[in-house]
Amino acid sequence: MTLQAQASSSFAVGIPSLTSPLGGSSHRLVVRAKVEPSDKSVEIMRKFSEQYARKSGTYFCVDKGVTSVVIKGLADHKDSLGAPLCPCRHYDDKPAEAGQGFWNCPCVPMRERKECHCMLFLTPDNDFAGKEQAISLEEIKESTANM
Amino acid sequence: TSPILSWHYPSPLHFSLPHSALRTHRQNSLFSITSTTKNTPFSLSTLPRKLLCQPPHGKYVREDDLAKKLSADEVQELVKGERNVPLIIDFYATWCGPCILMAQVLEMLAVEYENDALIVKVDTDDVFEFARDMQVRGLPTLFFICPDSNKDAIRTEGLIPIQMMRDIIDNEM
């Protein structure tokens, strides 16, 4: 609860997530701090995820925390690179990859074979697949509040 | 010298093919293991169900974690040095969802193996050069490194069942 209050108060200060180093929130959170994606990008990627899940006939993970984290990862890359590069990969050159496009969500493996190793879009036969194709902004915020 | 790497389990990997269908198929096969081995011991049945149903705390790293997070220097030193037990390195990224599930599984593994295995995790953004040298691509990636430096290391990509990890440690290390 305390963490959440601190996090929300730091947003209220109005430090843009892109430019604030770790920001005012970070030194109270334990871990090494990463910049939070902007609310706008999170909302965009949230909507995209819902639409694409419906369109592709895939479902979110039973554990919506996984979904939330990936959506935030996509938003973070959208903020920093201009494109939602897959957050579940390591890249030698992120801007180049974002420009090239293979791993921009929805990535080629997903578009061609419905393979999403981020576990964002899961085919119904996948053990981790839930029954939902929707996720609210609140769910995302709650699941990632301690990050 | 860095350990010799080879794809050992479950199928061969060619490092020289970037973004290849081969790599993606391998990732798919790692996932499809879950659907084809419903009756065999697998993480969903061996993990308490509530682990998956609760929203995760979302933290990869807690002070009381058994699997410690290392810096670039620390992990390089560890890999270069000697050890008596298998070393497991977990490469993760901040916003990688499956990496959180992997971290939970690794904690269980750390409890099971105690001092018989050394499990550490590294943020690929922090250990950029090390991740590049180890040719890390998909996340999470695990490296299982033998105490015997003559043996090849084993590498896995994606969320793998805990039983597979036990098998690697028990049989391959």
Side-chain angles (χ1 to χ4, degrees):
Chain A
M1 286 299 286
T2 314
L3 275 177
Q4 215 160 357
Q6 287 171 349
S8 56
S9 69
S10 75
F11 284 134
V13 171
I15 301 170
S17 61
L18 268 179
T19 56
S20 75
L22 310 192
S25 63
S26 62
H27 43 260
R28 271 171 295 209
L29 294 174
V30 176
V31 197
R32 82 274 179 271
K34 273 290 196 314
V35 177
E36 281 273 327
S38 65
D39 281 349
K40 181 175 163 200
S41 292
V42 172
E43 180 57 17
I44 290 173
M45 296 320 301
R46 184 191 71 79
K47 285 220 179 89
F48 154 76
S49 301
E50 288 186 336
Q51 282 166 7
Y52 198 80
R54 284 195 301 269
K55 177 176 149 183
S56 61
T58 54
Y59 295 85
F60 293 149
C61 187
V62 281
D63 184 340
K64 290 283 197 64
V66 171
T67 314
S68 305
V69 167
V70 175
I71 288 177
K72 276 202 160 173
L74 293 168
D76 178 61
H77 279 157
K78 189 166 186 343
D79 283 340
S80 60
L81 303 166
L85 198 61
C86 174
C88 307
R89 281 190 78 79
H90 172 73
Y91 308 93
D92 286 342
D93 184 340
K94 277 192 180 179
E97 292 279 358
Q100 199 269 336
F102 188 101
W103 289 109
N104 287 347
C105 189
C107 64
V108 169
M110 179 62 203
R111 282 187 269 145
E112 290 186 352
R113 289 182 298 278
K114 297 200 181 169
E115 283 172 11
C116 174
H117 67 280
C118 282
M119 298 174 67
L120 176 57
F121 303 114
L122 297 168
T123 50
D125 59 311
N126 191 303
D127 279 348
F128 289 94
K131 296 189 168 34
E132 294 180 41
Q133 293 173 320
I135 184 168
S136 68
L137 195 56
E138 234 166 46
E139 273 180 280
I140 295 176
K141 284 193 165 156
E142 269 173 26
S143 303
T144 57
N146 293 332
M147 291 198 72
Chain B
T1 56
S2 54
I4 298 166
L5 306 171
S6 70
W7 179 255
H8 182 80
Y9 188 88
S11 61
L13 166 72
H14 300 281
F15 287 116
S16 59
L17 297 172
H19 306 316
S20 68
L22 184 69
R23 179 167 288 131
T24 317
H25 276 305
R26 176 175 39 77
Q27 286 174 355
N28 188 47
S29 74
L30 281 171
F31 279 122
S32 65
I33 282 171
T34 69
S35 54
T36 54
T37 57
K38 276 192 185 359
N39 297 325
T40 62
F42 164 69
S43 64
L44 271 186
S45 56
T46 54
L47 274 179
R49 182 74 181 158
K50 65 181 177 150
L51 254 185
L52 285 182
C53 289
Q54 280 172 1
H57 295 293
K59 270 176 148 183
Y60 298 100
V61 184
R62 291 192 275 240
E63 305 76 52
D64 54 349
D65 270 353
L66 291 174
K68 298 288 174 212
K69 182 195 166 193
L70 298 187
S71 68
D73 290 338
E74 285 166 338
V75 72
Q76 304 255 29
E77 281 306 307
L78 191 59
V79 169
K80 276 189 250 171
E82 289 183 4
R83 64 210 139 263
N84 303 324
V85 296
L87 168 63
I88 295 139
I89 306 178
D90 168 29
F91 287 85
Y92 70 92
T94 304
W95 298 114
C96 159
C99 297
I100 297 187
L101 297 182
M102 177 62 93
Q104 291 170 354
V105 173
L106 286 178
E107 279 302 295
M108 287 175 57
L109 210 65
V111 167
E112 277 179 35
Y113 282 84
E114 286 185 278
N115 295 325
D116 293 335
L118 180 58
I119 304 175
V120 298
K121 48 195 178 225
V122 289
D123 184 334
T124 50
D125 287 333
D126 289 347
V127 300
F128 183 84
E129 277 181 13
F130 183 58
R132 187 197 56 203
D133 293 343
M134 300 291 265
Q135 297 190 24
V136 174
R137 295 283 177 261
L139 299 172
T141 281
L142 291 186
F143 278 97
F144 295 80
I145 302 179
C146 264
D148 178 1
S149 54
N150 291 326
K151 273 183 143 185
D152 289 345
I154 290 171
R155 155 192 170 138
T156 67
E157 246 184 52
L159 193 62
I160 59 173
I162 193 170
Q163 190 51 45
M164 198 185 290
M165 297 184 212
R166 292 188 191 114
D167 289 343
I168 294 175
I169 297 172
D170 295 342
N171 303 330
E172 310 294 337
M173 294 282 111

